[in-house]
Amino acid sequence: MTELVIGIELDLVGSHRAAWRFATHPPHVALNPEHIAGQARHLDEAGYDFLSLRTPPEPGEFPTRNPLIRLSATELAGFLAGHTHNIGIVVDTNTIRAEAFHLANQLASVDWTSGGWAGWIPTIDETPAIAASFNEEEITDTDRLHREAVEVVTAVRRIWDTWEDGAILADQSIPRFFNLERWHNTDFVGEFFTVEGPSIVARPPQGQLVVFGYAGDNLGEGVDVVFLDARGPQEVSARAAAARAAGARSVIQDVRVVLAADSDAAARRLAELEAAGEWNEDRPALLFAGTPAALTELLAGIADHVDGVRLLPAVNDVDIPLLSQAVLPALAERGVHERATIARTLTERLALAPRQNVFALERAAR
Amino acid sequence: MSSTPDYPRPNARFHLSLFLGFGGQYEWAKTEDHRDYFDPEITLKFVQDAERGLFSTVLFGEAQRHFEHLGKLNDIRFTGRQDALVHFAFLAARTKNIGLAATLNTTYSKPVELARRLATVDLLSGGRGAWNVITTENPWIGGNFRKPGWLPNSARYTNAEEYVNGVQALWEAWPTDAVAHSTEAEAWSEGIGLVESHGEYQRFRAVPSVPPSPQPYPVYFQAGNSAEGRDFAARHAEALYTFQIDFDDAVAYSADIRARARSYGRPGDDIKVLPGASVILGDTEAEAQERAEHQQRLHLLNDRSIRQQVEDVWGIELPDLDLDGPLPETEPVITKQNLGHGIVHTGNDPQSVARGWRQRFEERGHRSVRELVAGFHSPRAFIGTPGQVADKLVHYLKSDALDGINYYPSDFPNGVAEITDRLVPELQERGVYPDSYAGTTLRENFGLPAVPAHIRVREELARRAGSENPAAIDAAESISIDDRVLQRTE
């Protein structure tokens, strides 16, 4: 049995739209910075390996009543980095119409502020409302959307490499701050855009952030970790094998979680939630409603097929305490999950080999 | 000096702002590990020293492209730093009172995204966010983005005004009481507006996703200096990052900006004037002067830098130029220089810059290129013993030449502690500096009115225009939040 990486989605009140109804705090408290920080500190201390944050889709045809309140994920990540120590902080951002240069710099700063614990989920999000927020027509050609996403990932990775190791001399006697042999223009030319200059932010502590992708988006070589698209436990093994065959270096399964002390109560909770609304995101995921012991069984079972799971707690106030107090310790007892004390970065925690700097490779090839 | 009876502002209060720079501007030898320049934990110490000294804000400059020299990357003049808003969100987690002012351009980003990012920092810092608006348009910087040169330079203020109005409308679309206080409430939040912008350059349709902070919107900084820029500032800005520290220039600038603000119905003192300056202290005046000269030599006046500055104008390498002799006899080989290239900005006209330099060389009786270039870089600094500097700053403050300074430290990470430990007590002793923060938001700590300036200006203009002709208010006419048109008067 391999060791399982355990990630968790941290949405403001929970991963379900109706979470606020079942929270133990009134809605406005969810926006208190100390409340937000406290949730992340808890996840860090409880031993989760990474937390993930979602960017709001570009605001468009949101209802003006009960909109999904979401802070900007890169800034929220910087804030949580200031409150945590050994937990990965993974942010998703849309790639369509994105400025690769801004993204590369913002994400590099998430890595710096977290001391090497940052990850990135580039997504392909396009709707008429998103297009309207750019005063543009919706792009419906899915092949074109896919090419743009791959291009953004490629460019962002190249920008991260522009400050090679040894780029800084800071020798006042010469005087030179940079070693021009190790500091490079990006010189990226793609189908949709070009990027000329070097990164503004110094190379991230991890060199390259860990890049996650959804199996359905098929973003290719630029992705390190793939979120599988299984919808039932019996599909996990085949989906994992398919993703690995397609080149995934690590695979993770999403699991929506509704917990209670007994399975009837959990089923009642799920029914109440479903009557009140939908899950925040409609991407494929397993859905689990039951006891902590049964969830432990499920996770231990799929640990043979995947490198990790990401848990999507329906209601943070209810589900996170049960996960932390009952599920994580039980997994540790069974040797399925251990607190990440040895890893110094998210790359290490996910047991990924570091990527080589493309400029160093290009020099070696000359 | 401070007892002079006829000061226009005998009871004014002094503000310190920390200009958070980047490795290239510091004395490199004083920083042990080069990675420290980029390590947020080390910068945090710098900012905590400022907070201990009750600085009102830290101001972060923006860089969107590194400088070049003769078309190649410049290895002594550069601008590497963290992304301002991600970094500020981190600082928000680890500081309590200091304001966080990010310089953000209106050319290569979208109002919807910037509004969300800034509002997030403002919310997470408990109302300490600020936006220093700059309007630079420059196709060379655009080389890092999707549409280089999309905006004609002449339209940059029109674009900026549409952009800023768009951001403001997105912030105001969230009523301050939109989020419910009970899980039994009918809705978790309601009353959020749909914002539509129909400007010439900024068009969008969006509902924002981030609620307001306790202040409730970020404070507006601006750094414009042209007449157009100053008028824009008079309508929007609550703090100004300026460049005038010569006393007469500073008094004139401050009088001009306050008069413009009053023309929009503002009291005039609700706009904080903060010139960028360094402060170089010594136990004696002579020691302070010596430190100042040392710092000049380190950066802009070392041989490589002097040669680069001439080469920037002449457009070619001048390896044989004798820095202790006259300027090159030949004319510049380039007829156009792109803004952003090199240290010396020629305003696209190297020939006339070269003529000006020759004339200056002649008129001032310079004997060398070295002397000429040194003359361009007289330090923008207050230099002396802590008591001398404090006296001078108090004189400037009470004469209404400024409301404080944006302090440029010269070494890292120790360049702030000296101000906090040596200058701040002298200012406090002179009664112009507080003993504690006035509140928890930047708006409170700046002593600004509770209602942001742009809202007061909008209401004043609407009042003047009367109800018959609300469309006369060009500043806001292309923006609406649902049917709540922003120029309403009620």
Side-chain angles (χ1 to χ4, degrees), chain B residues 71-82:
Chain B
K72 290 187 179 144
L73 287 171
N74 190 328
D75 59 7
I76 52 173
R77 186 83 176 150
F78 78 101
T79 54
R81 66 191 74 193
Q82 295 296 336

PDB file of all heavy atoms in Angstrom, chain B residues 71-82:
ATOM      1  N   GLY B  71      19.641  47.873 -25.922  1.00  0.00           N
ATOM      2  CA  GLY B  71      18.889  46.731 -26.452  1.00  0.00           C
ATOM      3  C   GLY B  71      19.172  45.411 -25.753  1.00  0.00           C
ATOM      4  O   GLY B  71      18.650  44.374 -26.155  1.00  0.00           O
ATOM      5  N   LYS B  72      20.011  45.430 -24.705  1.00  0.00           N
ATOM      6  CA  LYS B  72      20.262  44.184 -23.971  1.00  0.00           C
ATOM      7  C   LYS B  72      19.891  44.392 -22.509  1.00  0.00           C
ATOM      8  O   LYS B  72      19.853  45.515 -22.024  1.00  0.00           O
ATOM      9  CB  LYS B  72      21.750  43.822 -24.055  1.00  0.00           C
ATOM     10  CG  LYS B  72      22.154  43.387 -25.443  1.00  0.00           C
ATOM     11  CD  LYS B  72      23.590  42.875 -25.424  1.00  0.00           C
ATOM     12  CE  LYS B  72      24.000  42.415 -26.810  1.00  0.00           C
ATOM     13  NZ  LYS B  72      25.402  42.700 -27.098  1.00  0.00           N
ATOM     14  N   LEU B  73      19.652  43.285 -21.820  1.00  0.00           N
ATOM     15  CA  LEU B  73      19.321  43.394 -20.402  1.00  0.00           C
ATOM     16  C   LEU B  73      20.419  44.140 -19.662  1.00  0.00           C
ATOM     17  O   LEU B  73      21.601  43.954 -19.924  1.00  0.00           O
ATOM     18  CB  LEU B  73      19.149  41.992 -19.803  1.00  0.00           C
ATOM     19  CG  LEU B  73      17.872  41.279 -20.235  1.00  0.00           C
ATOM     20  CD1 LEU B  73      17.910  39.824 -19.773  1.00  0.00           C
ATOM     21  CD2 LEU B  73      16.653  41.989 -19.659  1.00  0.00           C
ATOM     22  N   ASN B  74      19.992  44.974 -18.722  1.00  0.00           N
ATOM     23  CA  ASN B  74      20.933  45.791 -17.965  1.00  0.00           C
ATOM     24  C   ASN B  74      21.284  45.089 -16.658  1.00  0.00           C
ATOM     25  O   ASN B  74      20.397  44.792 -15.858  1.00  0.00           O
ATOM     26  CB  ASN B  74      20.288  47.162 -17.699  1.00  0.00           C
ATOM     27  CG  ASN B  74      21.282  48.164 -17.141  1.00  0.00           C
ATOM     28  OD1 ASN B  74      22.199  47.781 -16.428  1.00  0.00           O
ATOM     29  ND2 ASN B  74      21.086  49.418 -17.478  1.00  0.00           N
ATOM     30  N   ASP B  75      22.565  44.872 -16.425  1.00  0.00           N
ATOM     31  CA  ASP B  75      22.945  44.095 -15.242  1.00  0.00           C
ATOM     32  C   ASP B  75      23.200  44.943 -13.998  1.00  0.00           C
ATOM     33  O   ASP B  75      23.512  44.404 -12.944  1.00  0.00           O
ATOM     34  CB  ASP B  75      24.154  43.189 -15.539  1.00  0.00           C
ATOM     35  CG  ASP B  75      25.366  43.977 -16.001  1.00  0.00           C
ATOM     36  OD1 ASP B  75      25.326  45.220 -15.971  1.00  0.00           O
ATOM     37  OD2 ASP B  75      26.356  43.337 -16.406  1.00  0.00           O
ATOM     38  N   ILE B  76      23.088  46.273 -14.104  1.00  0.00           N
ATOM     39  CA  ILE B  76      23.220  47.059 -12.862  1.00  0.00           C
ATOM     40  C   ILE B  76      21.961  47.852 -12.528  1.00  0.00           C
ATOM     41  O   ILE B  76      21.823  48.365 -11.434  1.00  0.00           O
ATOM     42  CB  ILE B  76      24.423  48.047 -12.880  1.00  0.00           C
ATOM     43  CG1 ILE B  76      24.404  48.928 -14.119  1.00  0.00           C
ATOM     44  CG2 ILE B  76      25.715  47.299 -12.739  1.00  0.00           C
ATOM     45  CD1 ILE B  76      25.478  50.010 -14.061  1.00  0.00           C
ATOM     46  N   ARG B  77      21.069  47.972 -13.502  1.00  0.00           N
ATOM     47  CA  ARG B  77      19.894  48.811 -13.286  1.00  0.00           C
ATOM     48  C   ARG B  77      18.701  47.907 -13.509  1.00  0.00           C
ATOM     49  O   ARG B  77      18.400  47.547 -14.643  1.00  0.00           O
ATOM     50  CB  ARG B  77      19.910  49.933 -14.321  1.00  0.00           C
ATOM     51  CG  ARG B  77      18.847  50.956 -14.142  1.00  0.00           C
ATOM     52  CD  ARG B  77      19.245  51.966 -13.131  1.00  0.00           C
ATOM     53  NE  ARG B  77      18.215  52.991 -13.077  1.00  0.00           N
ATOM     54  CZ  ARG B  77      17.939  53.659 -11.982  1.00  0.00           C
ATOM     55  NH1 ARG B  77      18.595  53.415 -10.876  1.00  0.00           N
ATOM     56  NH2 ARG B  77      17.005  54.576 -11.993  1.00  0.00           N
ATOM     57  N   PHE B  78      18.051  47.481 -12.485  1.00  0.00           N
ATOM     58  CA  PHE B  78      17.000  46.481 -12.686  1.00  0.00           C
ATOM     59  C   PHE B  78      15.932  46.663 -11.614  1.00  0.00           C
ATOM     60  O   PHE B  78      16.085  47.451 -10.687  1.00  0.00           O
ATOM     61  CB  PHE B  78      17.591  45.079 -12.616  1.00  0.00           C
ATOM     62  CG  PHE B  78      17.830  44.663 -11.212  1.00  0.00           C
ATOM     63  CD1 PHE B  78      16.946  43.819 -10.574  1.00  0.00           C
ATOM     64  CD2 PHE B  78      18.892  45.178 -10.526  1.00  0.00           C
ATOM     65  CE1 PHE B  78      17.142  43.491  -9.250  1.00  0.00           C
ATOM     66  CE2 PHE B  78      19.084  44.841  -9.202  1.00  0.00           C
ATOM     67  CZ  PHE B  78      18.212  43.996  -8.559  1.00  0.00           C
ATOM     68  N   THR B  79      14.882  45.904 -11.760  1.00  0.00           N
ATOM     69  CA  THR B  79      13.714  46.191 -10.935  1.00  0.00           C
ATOM     70  C   THR B  79      13.038  44.940 -10.368  1.00  0.00           C
ATOM     71  O   THR B  79      11.844  44.936 -10.141  1.00  0.00           O
ATOM     72  CB  THR B  79      12.676  46.968 -11.765  1.00  0.00           C
ATOM     73  OG1 THR B  79      12.425  46.222 -12.944  1.00  0.00           O
ATOM     74  CG2 THR B  79      13.167  48.336 -12.130  1.00  0.00           C
ATOM     75  N   GLY B  80      13.787  43.877 -10.156  1.00  0.00           N
ATOM     76  CA  GLY B  80      13.162  42.641  -9.653  1.00  0.00           C
ATOM     77  C   GLY B  80      12.522  42.802  -8.282  1.00  0.00           C
ATOM     78  O   GLY B  80      13.068  43.476  -7.412  1.00  0.00           O
ATOM     79  N   ARG B  81      11.382  42.197  -8.104  1.00  0.00           N
ATOM     80  CA  ARG B  81      10.652  42.304  -6.835  1.00  0.00           C
ATOM     81  C   ARG B  81       9.519  41.293  -6.822  1.00  0.00           C
ATOM     82  O   ARG B  81       9.262  40.624  -7.814  1.00  0.00           O
ATOM     83  CB  ARG B  81      10.074  43.704  -6.688  1.00  0.00           C
ATOM     84  CG  ARG B  81       8.993  43.995  -7.724  1.00  0.00           C
ATOM     85  CD  ARG B  81       8.617  45.456  -7.761  1.00  0.00           C
ATOM     86  NE  ARG B  81       9.672  46.224  -8.413  1.00  0.00           N
ATOM     87  CZ  ARG B  81       9.766  47.548  -8.377  1.00  0.00           C
ATOM     88  NH1 ARG B  81       8.911  48.247  -7.706  1.00  0.00           N
ATOM     89  NH2 ARG B  81      10.716  48.177  -9.021  1.00  0.00           N
ATOM     90  N   GLN B  82       8.826  41.205  -5.692  1.00  0.00           N
ATOM     91  CA  GLN B  82       7.640  40.337  -5.600  1.00  0.00           C
ATOM     92  C   GLN B  82       6.429  41.017  -6.243  1.00  0.00           C
ATOM     93  O   GLN B  82       6.382  42.241  -6.362  1.00  0.00           O
ATOM     94  CB  GLN B  82       7.315  40.046  -4.131  1.00  0.00           C
ATOM     95  CG  GLN B  82       8.363  39.242  -3.386  1.00  0.00           C
ATOM     96  CD  GLN B  82       8.541  37.843  -3.927  1.00  0.00           C
ATOM     97  OE1 GLN B  82       7.642  37.285  -4.548  1.00  0.00           O
ATOM     98  NE2 GLN B  82       9.719  37.284  -3.725  1.00  0.00           N
TER      99      GLN B  82
END
